[in-house]
Coordinates of all heavy atoms in Angstrom, one line a residue:
M238 N 102.1 78.9 102.3 CA 102.8 79.8 101.4 C 103.6 79.0 100.4 O 104.4 78.1 100.9 CB 103.7 80.7 102.3 CG 104.6 81.7 101.5 SD 105.4 82.9 102.5 CE 104.2 84.2 102.4
K239 N 103.6 79.3 99.2 CA 104.3 78.7 98.2 C 105.8 79.0 98.3 O 106.1 80.1 98.8 CB 103.8 79.1 96.8 CG 102.4 78.8 96.6 CD 102.1 77.5 95.9 CE 100.6 77.4 95.5 NZ 99.9 76.3 96.1
E240 N 106.7 78.1 97.8 CA 108.1 78.4 97.9 C 108.5 79.7 97.2 O 109.4 80.4 97.6 CB 108.8 77.2 97.3 CG 110.4 77.2 97.5 CD 110.7 77.2 99.1 OE1 110.1 76.6 99.9 OE2 111.7 77.9 99.4
W241 N 107.9 79.9 96.0 CA 108.3 81.1 95.2 C 107.8 82.4 96.0 O 108.5 83.4 95.9 CB 107.7 81.1 93.8 CG 106.2 81.1 93.7 CD1 105.3 80.0 93.7 CD2 105.4 82.3 93.7 NE1 104.0 80.5 93.6 CE2 104.0 81.8 93.7 CE3 105.6 83.7 93.7 CZ2 102.9 82.7 93.5 CZ3 104.5 84.5 93.7 CH2 103.2 84.0 93.6
Q242 N 106.7 82.3 96.7 CA 106.2 83.5 97.5 C 107.2 83.8 98.6 O 107.5 84.9 98.9 CB 104.9 83.2 98.1 CG 103.7 83.2 97.0 CD 102.4 82.7 97.6 OE1 102.4 81.7 98.3 NE2 101.4 83.5 97.3
L243 N 107.6 82.7 99.3 CA 108.6 82.8 100.3 C 109.9 83.4 99.9 O 110.5 84.3 100.5 CB 108.8 81.4 101.0 CG 109.7 81.4 102.3 CD1 109.1 82.2 103.4 CD2 109.8 80.0 102.7
K244 N 110.4 83.0 98.8 CA 111.6 83.5 98.2 C 111.5 85.0 97.9 O 112.3 85.8 98.2 CB 111.9 82.7 96.9 CG 113.3 83.2 96.2 CD 113.5 82.3 95.0 CE 114.8 82.7 94.3 NZ 114.8 83.7 93.4
Q245 N 110.3 85.4 97.3 CA 110.1 86.8 97.0 C 110.0 87.6 98.2 O 110.6 88.7 98.3 CB 108.7 86.9 96.2 CG 108.5 88.2 95.7 CD 107.2 88.2 94.9 OE1 106.3 87.4 95.0 NE2 107.1 89.2 93.9
L246 N 109.3 87.1 99.3 CA 109.3 87.8 100.5 C 110.6 88.1 101.2 O 110.9 89.1 101.6 CB 108.3 87.1 101.5 CG 107.9 87.8 102.8 CD1 107.2 89.1 102.5 CD2 107.1 86.9 103.7
R247 N 111.5 87.0 101.1 CA 112.8 87.1 101.7 C 113.6 88.1 100.9 O 114.5 88.8 101.4 CB 113.5 85.8 101.7 CG 112.9 84.9 102.8 CD 113.6 83.5 102.9 NE 113.2 82.8 104.1 CZ 113.1 81.5 104.1 NH1 113.4 80.7 103.1 NH2 112.7 80.9 105.2
E248 N 113.4 88.2 99.5 CA 114.2 89.1 98.8 C 113.7 90.6 99.0 O 114.5 91.5 99.0 CB 114.0 88.8 97.3 CG 114.8 87.6 96.9 CD 114.5 87.1 95.4 OE1 113.7 87.8 94.7 OE2 115.1 86.1 95.0
E249 N 112.4 90.7 99.2 CA 111.9 92.1 99.5 C 112.2 92.6 100.9 O 112.3 93.8 101.1 CB 110.4 92.0 99.3 CG 109.8 93.4 99.3 CD 108.3 93.5 98.9 OE1 107.8 92.5 98.5 OE2 107.7 94.5 99.0
Y250 N 112.3 91.6 101.9 CA 112.5 92.0 103.2 C 113.8 91.3 103.8 O 113.6 90.5 104.8 CB 111.2 91.8 104.1 CG 110.1 92.6 103.7 CD1 109.1 92.2 102.8 CD2 110.0 93.9 104.3 CE1 108.1 93.0 102.5 CE2 108.9 94.7 104.0 CZ 108.0 94.3 103.0 OH 106.9 95.1 102.7
P251 N 114.9 91.6 103.3 CA 116.1 91.0 103.9 C 116.5 91.5 105.2 O 115.9 92.6 105.6 CB 117.2 91.3 102.9 CG 116.8 92.6 102.3 CD 115.2 92.6 102.2
E252 N 117.3 90.9 106.0 CA 117.8 91.3 107.2 C 118.3 92.8 107.1 O 119.0 93.2 106.2 CB 119.0 90.5 107.7 CG 119.5 90.9 109.0 CD 120.7 90.0 109.5 OE1 121.1 89.1 108.8 OE2 121.2 90.3 110.6
G253 N 117.9 93.6 108.1 CA 118.3 95.0 108.1 C 117.3 96.0 107.5 O 117.4 97.1 107.7
T254 N 116.3 95.4 106.8 CA 115.3 96.3 106.2 C 114.5 97.0 107.3 O 114.1 96.4 108.3 CB 114.3 95.5 105.4 OG1 115.1 94.9 104.3 CG2 113.2 96.4 104.7
R255 N 114.3 98.3 107.1 CA 113.5 99.1 108.1 C 112.0 99.0 107.6 O 111.7 99.1 106.5 CB 113.9 100.5 108.2 CG 115.3 100.7 108.7 CD 115.4 100.4 110.2 NE 114.7 101.5 110.9 CZ 114.3 101.5 112.2 NH1 114.5 100.4 112.9 NH2 113.7 102.4 112.8
V256 N 111.1 98.8 108.7 CA 109.7 98.6 108.4 C 108.9 99.5 109.3 O 109.2 99.7 110.5 CB 109.3 97.1 108.6 CG1 107.8 97.0 108.5 CG2 110.0 96.2 107.6
E257 N 107.8 100.0 108.9 CA 106.8 100.8 109.7 C 105.5 100.0 109.8 O 105.0 99.6 108.7 CB 106.6 102.1 109.1 CG 105.6 103.0 109.9 CD 105.5 104.4 109.4 OE1 106.4 104.9 108.7 OE2 104.5 105.0 109.7
L258 N 105.0 99.8 110.9 CA 103.7 99.1 111.2 C 102.5 100.0 110.7 O 102.5 101.2 111.1 CB 103.6 98.7 112.6 CG 102.3 98.0 113.0 CD1 102.2 96.7 112.3 CD2 102.2 97.8 114.5
I259 N 101.6 99.5 110.0 CA 100.3 100.2 109.7 C 99.2 99.6 110.5 O 98.5 100.4 111.1 CB 100.0 100.1 108.2 CG1 101.1 100.7 107.4 CG2 98.7 100.6 107.8 CD1 101.1 100.4 105.9
Y260 N 99.2 98.2 110.6 CA 98.1 97.5 111.4 C 98.6 96.2 111.8 O 99.2 95.5 110.9 CB 96.9 97.5 110.5 CG 95.8 96.6 111.1 CD1 95.0 97.0 112.1 CD2 95.6 95.2 110.7 CE1 94.0 96.2 112.7 CE2 94.7 94.4 111.3 CZ 93.9 94.9 112.3 OH 92.9 94.1 112.9
M261 N 98.3 95.8 113.0 CA 98.6 94.4 113.4 C 97.4 93.8 114.1 O 96.8 94.4 115.0 CB 99.8 94.4 114.4 CG 100.2 93.1 114.9 SD 101.6 93.1 116.0 CE 102.9 92.9 114.8
D262 N 97.0 92.6 113.7 CA 95.9 91.9 114.2 C 96.5 90.8 115.2 O 96.6 89.7 114.8 CB 95.0 91.3 113.1 CG 93.8 90.6 113.7 OD1 93.4 90.9 114.7 OD2 93.3 89.8 113.0
D263 N 96.8 91.2 116.4 CA 97.4 90.3 117.4 C 96.9 90.7 118.8 O 97.1 91.7 119.3 CB 98.9 90.4 117.3 CG 99.7 89.3 118.1 OD1 99.1 89.0 119.2 OD2 100.8 89.0 117.7
P264 N 96.2 89.7 119.4 CA 95.6 90.0 120.8 C 96.7 90.1 121.8 O 96.4 90.7 122.9 CB 94.7 88.8 121.0 CG 95.3 87.7 120.2 CD 95.8 88.4 118.9
Y265 N 97.9 89.7 121.5 CA 99.0 89.7 122.5 C 99.8 91.0 122.4 O 100.8 91.3 123.2 CB 99.9 88.5 122.4 CG 99.1 87.2 122.7 CD1 98.8 86.4 121.6 CD2 98.7 86.9 123.9 CE1 98.1 85.3 121.8 CE2 98.0 85.7 124.1 CZ 97.6 85.0 123.0 OH 96.9 83.8 123.3
N266 N 99.5 91.8 121.4 CA 100.3 93.1 121.1 C 99.9 94.1 122.2 O 98.8 94.5 122.3 CB 99.9 93.6 119.7 CG 100.6 95.0 119.5 OD1 101.5 95.3 120.1 ND2 100.0 95.7 118.5
R267 N 100.9 94.5 123.0 CA 100.8 95.5 124.0 C 101.6 96.7 123.8 O 101.3 97.7 124.4 CB 101.1 94.9 125.4 CG 100.4 93.7 125.8 CD 98.9 94.1 126.3 NE 98.3 92.9 126.8 CZ 97.2 92.3 126.1 NH1 96.9 92.8 125.0 NH2 96.6 91.3 126.6
K268 N 102.6 96.6 122.9 CA 103.5 97.7 122.7 C 103.4 98.4 121.4 O 103.7 99.5 121.2 CB 105.0 97.3 122.8 CG 105.4 96.9 124.2 CD 106.9 96.5 124.2 CE 107.3 96.2 125.7 NZ 108.7 95.9 125.7
L269 N 103.0 97.7 120.4 CA 103.1 98.2 119.0 C 101.8 98.9 118.6 O 100.7 98.5 118.9 CB 103.3 97.1 118.0 CG 104.7 96.3 118.1 CD1 104.7 95.1 117.2 CD2 105.8 97.3 117.8
A270 N 102.0 100.1 118.0 CA 100.8 100.9 117.5 C 101.2 101.3 116.0 O 102.4 101.3 115.7 CB 100.6 102.1 118.4
P271 N 100.2 101.7 115.2 CA 100.5 102.2 113.9 C 101.5 103.3 114.0 O 101.5 104.1 114.9 CB 99.2 102.7 113.4 CG 98.2 101.9 114.1 CD 98.8 101.6 115.5
G272 N 102.6 103.2 113.1 CA 103.7 104.1 113.1 C 104.9 103.6 113.7 O 106.0 104.2 113.5
C273 N 104.8 102.6 114.5 CA 106.0 102.0 115.1 C 107.0 101.5 114.0 O 106.5 101.0 113.1 CB 105.7 100.8 116.1 SG 104.9 101.4 117.6
R274 N 108.3 101.6 114.3 CA 109.2 101.2 113.4 C 110.2 100.2 113.9 O 110.4 100.1 115.1 CB 110.0 102.4 112.8 CG 109.2 103.3 112.0 CD 110.0 104.5 111.4 NE 109.2 105.2 110.6 CZ 109.6 106.2 109.8 NH1 110.9 106.4 109.7 NH2 108.8 106.8 109.0
G275 N 110.7 99.4 113.0 CA 111.7 98.3 113.5 C 112.5 97.8 112.3 O 112.4 98.3 111.3
T276 N 113.3 96.8 112.6 CA 114.3 96.3 111.7 C 114.1 94.8 111.6 O 113.9 94.0 112.5 CB 115.7 96.5 112.2 OG1 115.9 98.0 112.5 CG2 116.7 96.0 111.2
V277 N 114.1 94.4 110.3 CA 113.9 92.9 110.0 C 115.1 92.1 110.5 O 116.2 92.5 110.2 CB 113.7 92.7 108.5 CG1 113.7 91.2 108.1 CG2 112.4 93.4 108.0
K278 N 114.8 91.0 111.2 CA 115.9 90.1 111.6 C 116.0 88.9 110.6 O 117.1 88.6 110.1 CB 115.6 89.5 113.0 CG 115.7 90.6 114.1 CD 115.6 90.1 115.5 CE 114.9 88.9 115.9 NZ 114.8 88.6 117.3
Y279 N 114.9 88.4 110.3 CA 114.8 87.3 109.2 C 113.3 86.9 108.9 O 112.4 87.3 109.6 CB 115.5 86.0 109.7 CG 115.0 85.3 110.9 CD1 114.1 84.3 110.7 CD2 115.3 85.7 112.1 CE1 113.5 83.6 111.8 CE2 114.7 85.1 113.3 CZ 113.9 84.0 113.1 OH 113.3 83.4 114.1
V280 N 113.1 86.2 107.8 CA 111.8 85.7 107.4 C 111.9 84.2 107.6 O 112.8 83.5 107.1 CB 111.5 86.1 106.0 CG1 110.1 85.4 105.6 CG2 111.5 87.5 105.8
D281 N 111.0 83.6 108.4 CA 111.0 82.1 108.6 C 110.3 81.4 107.5 O 109.8 82.0 106.6 CB 110.5 81.8 110.0 CG 109.0 82.0 110.2 OD1 108.2 82.1 109.2 OD2 108.5 82.1 111.4
D282 N 110.3 80.1 107.6 CA 109.7 79.2 106.6 C 108.2 79.3 106.5 O 107.6 78.8 105.5 CB 110.1 77.7 106.9 CG 111.6 77.5 106.6 OD1 112.2 78.3 106.0 OD2 112.0 76.4 107.2
M283 N 107.5 79.9 107.4 CA 106.1 80.2 107.4 C 105.8 81.5 106.7 O 104.6 81.9 106.5 CB 105.5 80.1 108.8 CG 105.6 78.7 109.4 SD 104.5 77.4 108.6 CE 103.0 78.1 109.0
G284 N 106.8 82.4 106.5 CA 106.6 83.7 106.0 C 106.4 84.8 107.0 O 106.1 85.9 106.7
T285 N 106.6 84.4 108.3 CA 106.6 85.4 109.4 C 107.9 86.3 109.3 O 109.0 85.7 109.2 CB 106.5 84.8 110.7 OG1 105.3 84.0 110.8 CG2 106.4 85.8 111.8
I286 N 107.7 87.6 109.3 CA 108.9 88.5 109.3 C 109.2 88.8 110.7 O 108.4 89.5 111.4 CB 108.6 89.7 108.5 CG1 108.1 89.4 107.1 CG2 109.8 90.7 108.5 CD1 107.6 90.7 106.3
H287 N 110.3 88.2 111.2 CA 110.7 88.4 112.6 C 111.4 89.8 112.7 O 112.2 90.1 111.9 CB 111.6 87.3 113.1 CG 110.9 86.0 113.2 ND1 110.4 85.5 114.4 CD2 110.5 85.1 112.2 CE1 109.8 84.4 114.2 NE2 109.8 84.1 112.9
M288 N 111.0 90.5 113.7 CA 111.4 91.9 113.9 C 112.1 92.3 115.2 O 111.9 91.6 116.2 CB 110.1 92.8 113.9 CG 109.3 92.7 112.5 SD 110.2 93.4 111.2 CE 110.3 95.1 111.7
S289 N 112.9 93.3 115.1 CA 113.4 93.9 116.3 C 112.9 95.3 116.3 O 113.3 96.2 115.6 CB 115.0 94.0 116.3 OG 115.5 94.7 117.4
W290 N 111.7 95.5 117.1 CA 111.1 96.8 117.1 C 111.8 97.8 117.9 O 112.4 97.5 118.9 CB 109.7 96.7 117.6 CG 108.8 95.9 116.6 CD1 108.5 94.5 116.7 CD2 108.2 96.3 115.4 NE1 107.7 94.1 115.7 CE2 107.5 95.2 114.9 CE3 108.1 97.5 114.7 CZ2 106.8 95.3 113.7 CZ3 107.4 97.6 113.5 CH2 106.7 96.5 113.1
D291 N 111.8 99.1 117.5 CA 112.4 100.2 118.3 C 111.9 100.3 119.7 O 112.7 100.7 120.6 CB 112.3 101.5 117.5 CG 113.0 101.5 116.1 OD1 113.7 100.5 115.8 OD2 112.8 102.5 115.4
C292 N 110.7 99.9 119.9 CA 110.1 100.0 121.2 C 110.4 98.9 122.1 O 110.0 98.8 123.3 CB 108.5 100.2 121.1 SG 107.7 98.7 120.4
G293 N 111.1 97.9 121.5 CA 111.5 96.8 122.4 C 110.7 95.5 122.2 O 111.1 94.4 122.6
S294 N 109.7 95.5 121.4 CA 108.8 94.4 121.1 C 109.6 93.4 120.2 O 110.4 93.9 119.4 CB 107.5 94.8 120.5 OG 106.7 93.7 120.2
G295 N 109.3 92.2 120.2 CA 109.9 91.2 119.3 C 108.7 90.5 118.5 O 109.1 89.5 117.9
L296 N 107.5 91.0 118.5 CA 106.5 90.4 117.7 C 106.8 90.4 116.2 O 107.3 91.4 115.7 CB 105.2 91.0 117.9 CG 104.5 90.8 119.2 CD1 103.2 91.6 119.4 CD2 104.1 89.3 119.4
G297 N 106.5 89.3 115.5 CA 106.8 89.1 114.1 C 105.5 89.6 113.3 O 104.4 89.7 113.9
L298 N 105.8 90.0 112.1 CA 104.7 90.4 111.1 C 104.3 89.2 110.4 O 105.0 88.4 109.8 CB 105.2 91.4 110.2 CG 105.6 92.7 110.9 CD1 106.4 93.6 109.9 CD2 104.4 93.5 111.3
V299 N 102.9 89.0 110.3 CA 102.3 87.8 109.6 C 102.0 88.3 108.2 O 101.1 89.2 108.0 CB 101.2 87.2 110.4 CG1 100.5 86.1 109.6 CG2 101.5 86.8 111.8
F300 N 102.5 87.7 107.2 CA 102.3 88.0 105.8 C 100.8 87.8 105.5 O 100.3 86.7 105.9 CB 103.2 87.2 104.8 CG 102.9 87.5 103.4 CD1 103.4 88.6 102.8 CD2 102.2 86.5 102.7 CE1 103.1 88.8 101.5 CE2 101.9 86.7 101.3 CZ 102.3 87.9 100.8
G301 N 100.1 88.7 104.9 CA 98.7 88.5 104.5 C 97.7 88.8 105.6 O 96.5 88.9 105.4
V302 N 98.2 89.1 106.8 CA 97.4 89.5 107.9 C 97.7 90.9 108.4 O 96.8 91.7 108.5 CB 97.5 88.5 109.1 CG1 96.7 88.9 110.3 CG2 97.1 87.1 108.7
D303 N 99.0 91.1 108.8 CA 99.4 92.4 109.3 C 99.6 93.3 108.1 O 100.0 92.9 107.0 CB 100.6 92.3 110.2 CG 100.3 91.4 111.3 OD1 99.2 91.5 111.9 OD2 101.2 90.7 111.8
E304 N 99.6 94.6 108.3 CA 99.9 95.6 107.3 C 101.2 96.4 107.7 O 101.3 96.8 108.9 CB 98.7 96.6 107.1 CG 97.5 95.9 106.5 CD 96.3 96.8 106.3 OE1 96.6 98.0 105.8 OE2 95.2 96.5 106.7
Y305 N 102.1 96.6 106.8 CA 103.3 97.3 107.0 C 103.9 97.7 105.7 O 103.4 97.4 104.7 CB 104.3 96.2 107.8 CG 104.3 94.9 107.0 CD1 105.2 94.7 106.0 CD2 103.5 93.9 107.4 CE1 105.2 93.4 105.4 CE2 103.5 92.7 106.8 CZ 104.4 92.4 105.8 OH 104.3 91.2 105.2
R306 N 104.9 98.6 105.9 CA 105.6 99.1 104.7 C 107.0 99.3 104.9 O 107.4 99.5 106.1 CB 105.0 100.4 104.2 CG 105.2 101.6 105.2 CD 104.6 102.9 104.6 NE 105.1 104.0 105.4 CZ 106.1 104.7 105.3 NH1 107.0 104.5 104.2 NH2 106.4 105.7 106.1
K307 N 107.8 99.2 103.9 CA 109.2 99.5 104.0 C 109.4 101.0 104.3 O 108.7 101.8 103.7 CB 110.0 99.1 102.7 CG 110.3 97.7 102.6 CD 111.3 97.6 101.5 CE 111.2 96.5 100.6 NZ 112.3 96.4 99.6
V308 N 110.5 101.3 105.0 CA 110.9 102.7 105.3 C 112.2 102.9 104.6 O 113.2 102.1 104.9 CB 111.0 102.9 106.8 CG1 111.5 104.4 107.0 CG2 109.6 102.7 107.4
E309 N 112.3 103.8 103.7 CA 113.6 104.1 103.1 C 114.5 104.8 104.0 O 114.2 105.7 104.7 CB 113.4 105.0 101.9 CG 112.5 104.3 100.7 CD 113.1 103.0 100.3 OE1 114.3 102.8 100.1 OE2 112.3 102.0 100.0
V310 N 115.8 104.3 104.2 CA 116.8 104.8 105.0 C 117.6 105.8 104.2 O 118.0 105.5 103.1 CB 117.7 103.8 105.6 CG1 118.8 104.4 106.4 CG2 116.9 102.7 106.4
K311 N 117.7 107.1 104.7 CA 118.4 108.1 103.9 C 119.8 108.3 104.4 O 120.2 108.0 105.5 CB 117.6 109.4 104.1 CG 116.3 109.3 103.4 CD 115.5 110.6 103.5 CE 114.1 110.4 102.9 NZ 113.4 111.5 102.8

């Protein structure tokens, strides 16, 4: 991932951003299903979005592999 892409990802998904899972390609995923929601903890140097999922999972989202969307908090 290029430095500018990483910067952009961190700006788009800062700590506290709410996210909804659309699709995750992870063989170790046992808890997460489409529609699960969670809160961004941080984005690491590889571009993985580390999450605190409402269901208790801690799996991160992989940029360009997993599908997710921001959830607007009202």
Side-chain angles (χ1 to χ4, degrees):
M238 175 172 271
K239 306 263 190 240
E240 191 62 37
W241 65 268
Q242 291 173 308
L243 186 57
K244 182 178 184 275
Q245 186 176 24
L246 188 62
R247 287 179 171 151
E248 288 173 0
E249 188 173 353
Y250 293 94
E252 180 181 1
T254 301
R255 293 289 290 165
V256 173
E257 181 176 337
L258 180 65
I259 297 170
Y260 170 78
M261 179 178 273
D262 184 22
D263 189 325
Y265 301 105
N266 176 20
R267 301 284 185 253
K268 291 185 175 183
L269 297 172
C273 286
R274 292 183 175 193
T276 304
V277 173
K278 294 188 331 187
Y279 65 96
V280 178
D281 70 16
D282 291 341
M283 297 291 293
T285 300
I286 303 173
H287 291 263
M288 299 291 300
S289 176
W290 294 100
D291 296 350
C292 66
S294 177
L296 285 177
L298 295 167
V299 179
F300 177 77
V302 176
D303 299 323
E304 295 179 43
Y305 46 89
R306 69 177 187 91
K307 279 198 220 181
V308 177
E309 297 300 323
V310 178
K311 297 180 183 189

